[in-house]
Amino acid sequence: MPPLSPGSSAQLRLLNLNDPDFIRISKLFLTGWRHAQKYRPVIQHIYEVKLPPSLVETYCAYRADDYTSNYWASQYKVMLVARVMLGRGFKLQLTTTDLKGPPKGYHSVIGEVGLSLNYDEQVVFKDEAIRPAYVIVYRQ
């Protein structure tokens, strides 16, 4: 398995259709797809991101798809699935655009569908709280 880029020790491993991780991640992706205006996508491939040992789930696929663009003529899209350490989350149901960090005593902000939020979302303010886990290649 080659590295993702020169000098990188992260690698991708193609998961086979019968792999328990393929089954689990595809189920998570497809059950998380609640986009009324788009057909449920067809998963083409799932790759596991293998990080070096020194770098030691909620899921909203339909929302992540809204943020993708296809600048080249391709029927495929790619989505990164990450493991996120939320710690103690501060819950909100209102859109808030001026947060520079979580409130004192909290590690993250958890947006729940409610007064002005249409999607569940989680916000962490430290890069080390996020670890890439899988890459999903899909088409509409």
Side-chain angles (χ1 to χ4, degrees):
M1 184 171 22
L4 295 177
S5 62
S8 168
S9 56
Q11 301 175 344
L12 293 179
R13 178 178 70 91
L14 179 62
L15 299 180
N16 135 349
L17 294 173
N18 298 323
D19 187 301
D21 284 337
F22 183 98
I23 295 165
R24 183 175 56 84
I25 295 302
S26 59
K27 184 177 180 180
L28 185 66
F29 178 83
L30 294 172
T31 58
W33 191 269
R34 291 176 251 155
H35 211 305
Q37 289 78 33
K38 295 183 180 181
Y39 291 107
R40 183 171 281 183
V42 177
I43 295 174
Q44 302 300 301
H45 303 288
I46 298 178
Y47 296 88
E48 180 181 15
V49 178
K50 303 293 282 180
L51 295 172
S54 59
L55 295 176
V56 196
E57 267 164 61
T58 169
Y59 197 66
C60 199
Y62 62 99
R63 183 165 190 265
D65 182 76
D66 284 347
Y67 288 96
T68 63
S69 296
N70 218 351
Y71 296 108
W72 298 278
S74 174
Q75 61 181 333
Y76 300 103
K77 289 187 175 184
V78 177
M79 185 179 299
L80 179 66
V81 177
R83 291 185 174 98
V84 180
M85 297 297 295
L86 296 174
R88 184 170 180 222
F90 181 77
K91 294 183 180 183
L92 291 173
Q93 292 183 330
L94 294 169
T95 301
T96 306
T97 59
D98 58 347
L99 284 177
K100 303 281 188 257
K104 186 175 175 94
Y106 293 89
H107 303 101
S108 62
V109 174
I110 299 172
E112 296 180 335
V113 174
L115 302 172
S116 67
L117 290 175
N118 297 323
Y119 302 109
D120 291 331
E121 61 182 81
Q122 300 77 38
V123 180
V124 292
F125 297 88
K126 295 186 180 226
D127 292 343
E128 55 270 13
I130 303 170
R131 291 290 178 255
Y134 298 94
V135 177
I136 300 174
V137 179
Y138 64 101
R139 66 180 168 79
Q140 296 282 288

